[in-house]
Amino acid sequence: MINRLKIVLKTALLLNTIILLHSCNTPEERAGKTAAKINPVSKVHTVVIQQMKFIPVELTVNAGDTITWINRDIVEHNVTEDVSKKRTSGNLAPAGSWKIVAVESFNYYCTIHPVMKGRLSVR
Ligand SMILES: [Cu+2]
């Protein structure tokens, strides 16, 4: 009778161990790991507009990253895609900012001060 009880207890313990080992890698955890590989966490980048310059002048980012231009000058500026003007921030007042999600590379400039040029490179 006691031997039978020992066998039942040992079996229960073994089953418990197996269940615990399996719970260390749940389907949710596996799915999370897979999703992280497909969609790496996107980064946030900042281009400061200061003393009539875009800093940095050229910024390289991954597609899906977010870029914010912040006007730290005391005059208005804008960020406008060179030639096509397809993308533009519109005029940014001092302390104003403009945010986009990177899709493709483009050169840009400030239409108020055309000497101000920059480039966003998306890899
Ligand atoms: Cu400007």
Side-chain angles (χ1 to χ4, degrees):
M1 183 64 190
I2 289 170
N3 271 348
R4 190 181 280 178
L5 191 66
K6 276 184 182 172
I7 291 167
V8 168
L9 280 174
K10 276 184 183 173
T11 307
L13 200 67
L14 188 69
L15 280 173
N16 209 14
T17 306
I18 291 166
I19 290 164
L20 277 173
L21 281 173
H22 272 269
S23 68
C24 289
N25 198 358
T26 63
E28 290 79 14
E29 280 175 324
R30 284 194 294 269
K33 281 169 193 167
T34 307
K37 277 176 193 168
I38 296 165
N39 291 317
V41 177
S42 61
K43 290 181 183 171
V44 176
H45 308 266
T46 303
V47 176
V48 175
I49 307 172
Q50 200 162 32
Q51 297 185 322
M52 306 281 286
K53 285 174 187 162
F54 295 107
I55 305 165
V57 167
E58 182 165 353
L59 179 66
T60 302
V61 304
N62 289 319
D65 284 2
T66 300
I67 305 100
T68 304
W69 283 261
I70 300 175
N71 184 4
R72 295 277 182 232
D73 263 345
I74 56 168
V75 295
E76 284 190 342
H77 293 292
N78 62 62
V79 180
T80 302
E81 184 168 352
D82 207 352
V83 188
S84 75
K85 298 185 181 180
K86 192 170 73 182
R87 297 179 183 86
T88 182
S89 62
N91 289 350
L92 298 173
S97 65
W98 184 53
K99 189 190 284 188
I100 66 164
V101 173
V103 177
E104 58 187 355
S105 303
F106 63 94
N107 294 322
Y108 61 87
Y109 71 119
C110 172
T111 61
I112 305 167
H113 315 100
V115 291
M116 296 174 60
K117 293 171 191 278
R119 176 172 172 77
L120 178 69
S121 292
V122 181
R123 59 183 161 221

